[in-house]
Amino acid sequence: MSLDVNMSSTTDGNADTAPEADWKPPTGKLSNFYYRGGAPITRSQMVSMFSSAKIREYKGHKEKVHSVAWNADGRRLASGSVDKTARVWSPQRSTDVKYSTELKGHTGSVDQLDWNPTHPDRLATASSDQTVRIWDQRSGKCTAKVDTEGENINICWSPDGNDIAVGDKNDKITFIDTRTNQIKFTKDFRYEVNEFTWNLANNLFCVTTGQGNIELYDYPSFEQVATGRGHTSSCYSVEADPSGNYLAAGSADGSVSLWDMESMNCIRAFGKLTHPVRTLSFSFDAQYIAYASEDHFIDISHVQSGESVKNIECSAAMNTVAWSPRDYYLAYAGDETASDGKYAGNLRIFSMKDPREQN
């Protein structure tokens, strides 16, 4: 297939007209809320769930945090920092830094990290020191180091656990075979490329570009099969939803576009922000999407309706957001400063519980 798709969403957030063939876009029904993918709940229960949420703070870095990510079973949270370290937390135990493990070895900023989706103890980090490191969080030791040609800023682990893609400041994406820890191939682009991800089936690789497009490539042949044209300025962030149905992309125009993965039709736009969307994340049940920028809040919207359901107030620009793979826990971090004016080196977790259990 070869698609060249234009986004034509309306300002009120309604979905475009769907093609007839097997296309099931979000319904737009505001009443279609549920808890943990199970029993339906009312809108008022959903509002209660968000309003009674708690926020916990974790401090362990000496510089600002650029990336957070949950492991496959949701028991560990990793953070990467400008202080050249990564750290693995056990959030359910305590906010105390003594319950975390520091991962040391990089000589440059740890700009992004990602866990192996098939193994809860294996973490990969991308650094400006021109290396990718793979860690075993049980020992806290680096098990492999792969040298790359550029300063690395983006990283993603394939759904089958066999490949890691890492992007650098020179618009090159390097693919690493995690079974041999050797570079398989590299892809040079003649234009700006930013975040990327695989679809859940592991046969498509999705790349955001400085041209405002989302490019889809067959994997592993890397033949381009589709282009989604949805924004008038650079796309920075991208993620496939856990159901495998949708793809979301965040742009410098302050909006997030939602795409049907089968047809590559854009079916909705979320547009609460006024600054470039730096980061976004789907909840584990694909019901909510969180996204953030230099605006001092994180917006959480309901995917099915397009309705903004919660703003988490922040004191600074946000660099990263990540939903837990099994609970309504949203980790986030940004450019917060401490009372002395230095970067706080912290992250926070916003957590919610079943509204039917609320008193």
Side-chain angles (χ1 to χ4, degrees):
M1 64 177 177
S2 180
L3 302 178
D4 187 11
V5 185
N6 289 304
M7 183 176 78
S8 57
S9 61
T10 59
T11 55
D12 62 5
N14 293 330
D16 296 338
T17 302
E20 295 180 359
D22 297 327
W23 187 51
K24 298 178 180 179
T27 64
K29 295 179 180 178
L30 298 182
S31 60
N32 189 22
F33 297 99
Y34 50 87
Y35 187 78
R36 293 181 62 85
I41 60 174
T42 65
R43 187 181 186 284
S44 62
Q45 286 175 320
M46 182 275 301
V47 171
S48 173
M49 179 174 71
F50 277 98
S51 62
S52 59
K54 297 181 179 179
I55 297 176
R56 292 170 291 169
E57 183 179 24
Y58 298 76
K59 293 184 177 181
H61 290 283
K62 297 176 182 177
E63 272 282 357
K64 60 182 175 179
V65 174
H66 271 182
S67 181
V68 292
W70 297 87
N71 73 340
D73 63 17
R75 298 179 184 275
R76 300 286 185 271
L77 178 69
S79 54
S81 171
V82 176
D83 69 7
K84 305 176 185 179
T85 71
R87 190 172 286 273
V88 176
W89 305 82
S90 300
Q92 71 280 4
R93 294 189 65 187
S94 172
T95 60
D96 196 311
V97 68
K98 70 181 180 181
Y99 292 102
S100 67
T101 301
E102 187 179 51
L103 307 180
K104 298 176 66 175
H106 281 296
T107 58
S109 172
V110 179
D111 285 325
Q112 202 170 71
L113 42 74
D114 198 20
W115 293 87
N116 185 335
T118 67
H119 197 299
D121 296 314
R122 294 176 183 168
L123 175 71
T125 53
S127 172
S128 61
D129 65 8
Q130 301 185 340
T131 70
V132 170
R133 290 177 182 257
I134 300 174
W135 311 79
D136 187 323
Q137 72 87 22
R138 294 166 296 188
S139 65
K141 296 188 180 300
C142 175
T143 58
K145 183 180 75 139
V146 181
D147 294 319
T148 59
E149 295 182 14
E151 297 180 37
N152 301 310
I153 52 177
N154 293 307
I155 194 167
C156 183
W157 212 311
S158 65
D160 63 6
N162 292 335
D163 297 304
I164 291 173
V166 57
D168 65 27
K169 291 183 178 180
N170 297 321
D171 301 312
K172 176 183 290 186
I173 301 178
T174 300
F175 292 86
I176 300 168
D177 187 327
T178 61
R179 293 159 294 188
T180 62
N181 297 320
Q182 299 294 316
I183 293 175
K184 296 173 65 173
F185 68 95
T186 60
K187 172 67 176 178
D188 286 294
F189 293 82
R190 296 181 179 179
Y191 45 86
E192 177 186 325
V193 293
N194 296 304
E195 281 193 1
F196 38 76
T197 190
W198 275 271
N199 67 336
L200 294 189
N202 216 111
N203 61 358
L204 288 176
F205 189 74
C206 315
V207 182
T208 57
T209 78
Q211 299 168 330
N213 302 332
I214 307 161
E215 297 181 349
L216 268 63
Y217 295 86
D218 178 78
Y219 193 82
S221 71
F222 225 80
E223 294 180 3
Q224 188 169 351
V225 295
T227 299
R229 301 185 187 279
H231 297 276
T232 57
S233 53
S234 297
C235 286
Y236 292 137
S237 50
V238 67
E239 185 172 302
D241 88 317
S243 72
N245 294 324
Y246 309 124
L247 185 74
S251 170
D253 62 18
S255 71
V256 173
S257 54
L258 184 70
W259 301 79
D260 178 85
M261 282 293 291
E262 184 174 347
S263 65
M264 272 308 286
N265 281 292
C266 182
I267 51 182
R268 174 157 296 124
F270 306 90
K272 287 282 291 184
L273 305 180
T274 58
H275 291 88
V277 179
R278 294 181 174 184
T279 177
L280 57 84
S281 179
F282 283 101
S283 60
F284 68 95
D285 56 4
Q287 188 174 196
Y288 301 105
I289 185 170
Y291 56 101
S293 70
E294 294 177 37
D295 294 87
H296 288 190
F297 67 90
I298 299 167
D299 182 77
I300 300 176
S301 289
H302 185 238
V303 173
Q304 286 289 322
S305 67
E307 179 186 12
S308 177
V309 296
K310 178 67 177 180
N311 283 349
I312 303 174
E313 298 299 326
C314 307
S315 63
M318 289 292 104
N319 299 319
T320 178
V321 297
W323 284 103
S324 163
R326 66 175 188 175
D327 279 302
Y328 292 130
Y329 299 156
L330 180 69
Y332 59 96
D335 297 346
E336 287 188 287
T337 55
S339 57
D340 60 3
K342 297 180 180 180
Y343 286 115
N346 63 336
L347 61 98
R348 298 178 189 269
I349 297 178
F350 173 90
S351 61
M352 301 181 294
K353 293 185 177 180
D354 190 331
R356 294 163 296 182
E357 298 176 357
Q358 305 295 332
N359 294 325

